[in-house]
Amino acid sequence: AQTVTQSQPEMSVQEAETVTLSCTYDTSESDYYLFWYKQPPSRQMILVIRQEAYKQQNATENRFSVNFQKAAKSFSLKISDSQLGDAAMYFCAYSLLSGNTPLVFGKGTRLSVIA
Amino acid sequence: EAGVTQFPSHSVIEKGQTVTLRCDPISGHDNLYWYRRVMGKEIKFLLHFVKESKQDESGMPNNRFLAERTGGTYSTLKVQPAELEDSGVYFCASSSLRQGLGTDTQYFGPGTRLTVL
């Protein structure tokens, strides 16, 4: 079975600084998807970024980028120029490549942004 | 376009009572998923509908949980009778149906926080 591990329950970052959230996963599949979701306080969970395992290039979305190390089964999220609005719970998730499959989540990392 | 909505946002019930949670997916999304997060734990998959059919219910904890999606639109998740360990946040997500390989983004609702006393 696939598992996702987020080893940092809580992290904090100064406004405008950079922070990296860690995620490792375990799977016997060679192709799959990885995701980072963000859940701000009392708000809906939204997709931040996704990575297809068959793509070697790391995904980026504005200030958010990932460091995908397939051999190490590592998928970290880097947030550059942190803003107060980045404060949220961040969940790393995995899904199979075949369509319409459920997500497997980690426990989440709570990120605080200090002004 | 309206997002995924869930009702109620909070529910506090006594052990042994019944509670029904509702999820309205994004219009046109054939995939509907239910997940649950118990405090401090991972978000766990419960079940998956494709239109009105249960595609995968391997995550359902036991037969006290009953999910339906009549007509392939909104879905309900009933817990009867509720137990203390059922407390948690229940999330619903929806996505477009993809044929073959590939996956579309799952859009999540705000969740229903269930507290069983």
Side-chain angles (χ1 to χ4, degrees):
Chain A
Q2 295 85 13
T3 58
V4 176
T5 301
Q6 293 178 251
S7 59
Q8 305 154 316
E10 295 183 356
M11 292 280 285
S12 62
V13 62
Q14 289 284 141
E15 200 175 2
E17 296 295 309
T18 296
V19 65
T20 299
L21 307 184
S22 301
C23 173
T24 58
Y25 58 93
D26 189 26
T27 182
S28 58
E29 302 289 330
S30 58
D31 288 317
Y32 43 87
Y33 291 98
L34 295 164
F35 307 85
W36 279 98
Y37 276 86
K38 165 187 176 181
Q39 186 180 25
S42 303
R43 295 184 62 185
Q44 285 170 252
M45 195 152 49
I46 58 173
L47 179 67
V48 174
I49 200 165
R50 65 183 263 173
Q51 172 83 40
E52 288 83 0
Y54 55 86
K55 290 185 178 178
Q56 292 188 342
Q57 187 172 8
N58 287 326
T60 63
E61 285 289 340
N62 301 316
R63 297 182 296 106
F64 298 87
S65 62
V66 299
N67 183 4
F68 173 48
Q69 302 288 329
K70 191 173 184 180
K73 296 181 181 175
S74 171
F75 183 61
S76 60
L77 174 70
K78 185 172 82 170
I79 306 173
S80 303
D81 185 25
S82 297
Q83 300 175 359
L84 294 178
D86 295 333
M89 196 77 174
Y90 286 81
F91 294 97
C92 180
Y94 163 105
S95 80
L96 294 172
L97 184 66
S98 55
N100 317 306
T101 57
L103 298 170
V104 177
F105 285 91
K107 288 186 179 181
T109 296
R110 183 173 301 282
L111 178 67
S112 301
V113 181
I114 303 165
Chain B
E1 178 183 304
V4 178
T5 58
Q6 292 187 245
F7 182 82
S9 57
H10 292 86
S11 181
V12 181
I13 61 173
E14 300 271 335
K15 175 183 171 181
Q17 289 186 321
T18 297
V19 63
T20 300
L21 314 181
R22 173 169 169 147
C23 168
D24 286 76
I26 292 172
S27 177
H29 280 187
D30 289 330
N31 286 315
L32 189 151
Y33 304 85
W34 283 98
Y35 296 87
R36 175 175 74 175
R37 184 175 188 228
V38 173
M39 187 178 292
K41 300 284 185 69
E42 299 89 344
I43 300 171
K44 294 273 195 184
F45 164 73
L46 296 178
L47 87 157
H48 170 208
F49 284 99
V50 176
K51 298 182 182 178
E52 67 277 6
S53 300
K54 291 176 185 174
Q55 183 76 12
D56 180 358
E57 50 185 330
S58 60
M60 294 287 263
N62 51 61
N63 59 10
R64 295 185 293 102
F65 289 74
L66 175 64
E68 295 181 326
R69 192 182 182 194
T70 306
T73 55
Y74 70 91
S75 174
T76 57
L77 179 64
K78 182 193 288 188
V79 185
Q80 180 183 28
E83 298 288 344
L84 299 178
E85 64 265 25
D86 300 333
S87 295
V89 181
Y90 290 76
F91 293 100
C92 174
S94 71
S95 70
S96 299
L97 186 65
R98 175 74 74 99
Q99 302 295 338
L101 297 180
T103 190
D104 283 339
T105 297
Q106 291 188 25
Y107 294 88
F108 281 78
T112 293
R113 182 174 297 278
L114 175 65
T115 302
V116 182
L117 302 175

